[in-house]
Amino acid sequence: MKTLHPAVFGGILYRRDSEADQKQAGEFNIGSIDLVIVDLYPFEETVARGGSEQEIIEKIDIGGISLIRAAAKNYNDVLIVSSQNQYQSLFDLLKSKHGISELEDRKKFAALAFDVTSHYDTAIFNYFNADERINSFKSSVPQGRVLRYGENPHQQGMYFGDLEKLFTQLNGKELSYNNLVDTDAAVQLLQEWEGTTFVIIKHTNACGVAQGASVLEAYSKALKADPVSAFGGVLATNRAINEETAEEINKLFFEILVAPGFTKEALELLRSKKNRILLKQNEPLQSPRQFKNLLNGVILQDTDIKSESKNDLKAVTRKTPSEVEVDALLFAARIAKHSKSNTIVLAKAGQLLASGVGQTSRVDALKQAIEKARSFGFDLEGSVMASDAFFPFRIVWKLPIKLE
């Protein structure tokens, strides 16, 4: 209760330019407080480490929040420092201005203070509303960085999030808006498999996906699916890059390579291009929810973490697929899941052969996939097809397309 004492809040809130406030402060022997520094209880950290409910509740700060709000409200007279992250800024300010802050400085720190308190309250609300009994959307991401531009050069862009927690950048220029979008698509797709896998992404769609006994084999098979589209693409794998693989990858012009590790020799070779972005992935991507703004609101949904297994399949035809074909179908279905509709994926076990994506007609998507597969020398005999299509009723489909 000591921080909630009237002498403390009176010293913060009384207005120095108000005769009435000054009179009351003198009457109750309240001294002025011109600088307030607060670090809130670690509520989010306690939730993140799996603390008990009692531990979490105890970390809901009451006095600290009250002090921050009071000081920020009276920014005309009081300077509020609401986070350890602001200590250096405070030190630089006091040193450069000989211990004196100006109104503009105090107003900036007040804005930072309300940013801290709003984020803190959002975290508490989302904890209590985990069962979603209250239909209210609240999201707060305190870390932000300005990007070179948005999707196009005439658009401003920003990224909010702790990117350094997910990746360690080992080489290359700053990530752009489009780089981030494609990297997300690559990592999301890659997480569908545990075995050695390599994916190549272009404009969020897979132009190469393969598995192999080694990362080199997986890369070589992935590149065969569409070596043209791979030019300037985003590459990602779930295995460390060794020198042998780096020598092959180095022959391709690409924007980004994501991997859980790089050998010393591989890193030295791949750093030969100064703008080439190399990202070491530190941990899996965890995004339980997805949201976007549209119309005059926001839509929210669970992230699609469902991937079909053999137990989900039921043959409804007289001819049933072999085990090899089932494996190929499941592989293709996971690629289709991450491709733009309408999509058709042609594959064999552990290798994408070709895909048709983003077409207004699924027939066009199939034509595109077949033509692409043939143009890169693939024999489609024995391949499987996956699509995002569904059939609302029994249908016999006769397409004017022949595989011969």
Side-chain angles (χ1 to χ4, degrees):
M1 295 296 293
K2 58 185 179 181
T3 56
L4 298 176
H5 196 282
V8 175
F9 279 87
I12 294 172
L13 284 168
Y14 94 82
R15 294 162 292 182
R16 280 54 161 178
D17 59 356
S18 169
E19 291 185 7
D21 284 9
Q22 285 189 0
K23 181 180 179 180
Q24 278 195 329
E27 180 181 348
F28 294 102
N29 197 28
I30 295 175
S32 63
I33 297 175
D34 301 323
L35 173 63
V36 176
I37 301 177
V38 178
D39 279 307
L40 297 173
Y41 290 161
F43 177 83
E44 284 185 284
E45 292 83 352
T46 306
V47 173
R49 68 174 174 79
S52 67
E53 183 174 5
Q54 182 179 355
E55 289 176 317
I56 291 170
I57 299 303
E58 285 298 317
K59 289 300 185 287
I60 298 178
D61 206 315
I62 304 300
I65 283 285
S66 302
L67 289 170
I68 291 174
R69 292 181 64 86
K73 178 181 179 180
N74 195 21
Y75 69 87
N76 192 63
D77 301 305
V78 181
L79 178 63
I80 172 64
V81 178
S82 52
S83 169
Q84 293 183 17
N85 297 331
Q86 300 165 20
Y87 286 2
Q88 188 61 49
S89 297
L90 171 66
F91 176 78
D92 293 340
L93 170 66
L94 297 179
K95 184 178 180 180
S96 64
K97 297 186 177 181
H98 307 289
I100 303 297
S101 65
E102 298 176 359
L103 180 62
E104 182 182 358
D105 303 319
R106 297 191 294 274
K107 191 171 185 178
K108 177 183 178 181
F109 274 88
L112 291 170
F114 286 119
D115 179 41
V116 168
T117 58
S118 64
H119 177 77
Y120 197 78
D121 286 338
T122 296
I124 295 171
F125 169 78
N126 287 331
Y127 171 77
F128 278 94
N129 197 43
D131 57 2
E132 300 179 334
R133 288 177 295 176
I134 302 173
N135 290 328
S136 178
F137 174 76
K138 289 181 173 63
S139 180
S140 176
V141 184
Q143 303 101 323
R145 64 167 71 182
V146 177
L147 303 175
R148 296 197 302 272
Y149 52 83
E151 186 174 3
N152 298 293
H154 63 274
Q155 295 173 273
Q156 292 184 338
M158 289 195 69
Y159 171 80
F160 293 92
D162 189 358
L163 199 62
E164 285 73 22
K165 182 180 179 182
L166 185 61
F167 298 117
T168 299
Q169 185 165 345
L170 303 175
N171 191 66
K173 57 188 178 181
E174 182 182 351
L175 286 159
S176 69
Y177 182 98
N178 293 325
N179 288 157
L180 291 167
V181 172
D182 281 345
T183 300
D184 177 74
V187 173
Q188 294 275 11
L189 175 58
L190 186 62
Q191 289 187 168
E192 292 286 346
W193 297 281
E194 294 182 0
T196 303
T197 308
F198 208 105
V199 305
I200 304 173
I201 295 290
K202 194 69 172 288
H203 301 304
T204 73
N205 289 302
C207 58
V209 184
Q211 296 181 302
S214 67
V215 66
L216 176 59
E217 180 186 355
Y219 167 71
S220 300
K221 290 168 64 178
L223 184 63
K224 288 180 180 179
D226 190 347
V228 175
S229 296
F231 183 87
V234 173
L235 284 57
T237 181
N238 55 6
R239 295 293 186 271
I241 300 294
N242 55 30
E243 183 178 15
E244 184 183 23
T245 307
E247 288 176 350
E248 288 302 311
I249 294 175
N250 198 47
K251 298 174 183 178
L252 176 71
F253 171 76
F254 62 89
E255 288 278 344
I256 301 170
L257 172 59
V258 181
F262 299 81
T263 66
K264 180 181 178 181
E265 296 78 12
L267 193 58
E268 183 178 350
L269 178 60
L270 293 169
R271 278 175 167 168
S272 60
K273 302 291 195 305
K274 67 177 183 178
N275 288 332
R276 177 185 284 165
I277 299 171
L278 304 177
L279 300 176
K280 176 182 175 293
Q281 187 170 353
N282 301 321
E283 60 182 39
L285 184 61
Q286 297 178 349
S287 303
R289 295 295 182 84
Q290 297 173 322
F291 61 89
K292 63 185 289 187
N293 67 299
L294 53 72
L295 300 177
N296 64 343
V298 174
I299 55 173
L300 172 73
Q301 68 172 359
D302 294 335
T303 299
D304 185 4
I305 59 173
K306 170 66 176 176
S307 294
E308 288 82 7
S309 66
K310 293 180 181 180
N311 295 331
D312 297 312
L313 303 182
K314 178 183 178 182
V316 295
T317 55
R318 286 188 294 271
K319 183 178 179 179
T320 59
S322 66
E323 285 294 313
V324 173
E325 289 171 328
V326 168
D327 288 340
L329 284 167
L330 293 172
F331 179 81
R334 294 184 181 192
I335 300 173
K337 169 184 167 182
H338 293 267
S339 301
K340 291 292 183 293
S341 186
N342 291 311
T343 184
I344 294 288
V345 173
L346 302 177
K348 291 184 178 180
Q351 183 177 18
L352 170 66
L353 303 183
S355 63
V357 297
Q359 301 299 308
T360 54
S361 161
R362 212 159 263 112
V363 174
D364 289 340
L366 178 57
K367 289 179 179 179
Q368 182 188 60
I370 292 173
E371 290 172 4
K372 181 176 285 189
R374 286 174 171 168
S375 69
F376 293 118
F378 284 109
D379 180 7
L380 294 176
E381 186 68 32
S383 64
V384 301
M385 182 183 82
S387 176
D388 58 344
F390 71 97
F391 301 104
F393 46 79
R394 293 192 175 211
I395 185 170
V396 177
W397 218 8
K398 293 183 178 179
L399 297 178
I401 301 173
K402 295 183 179 180
L403 295 180
E404 294 81 43

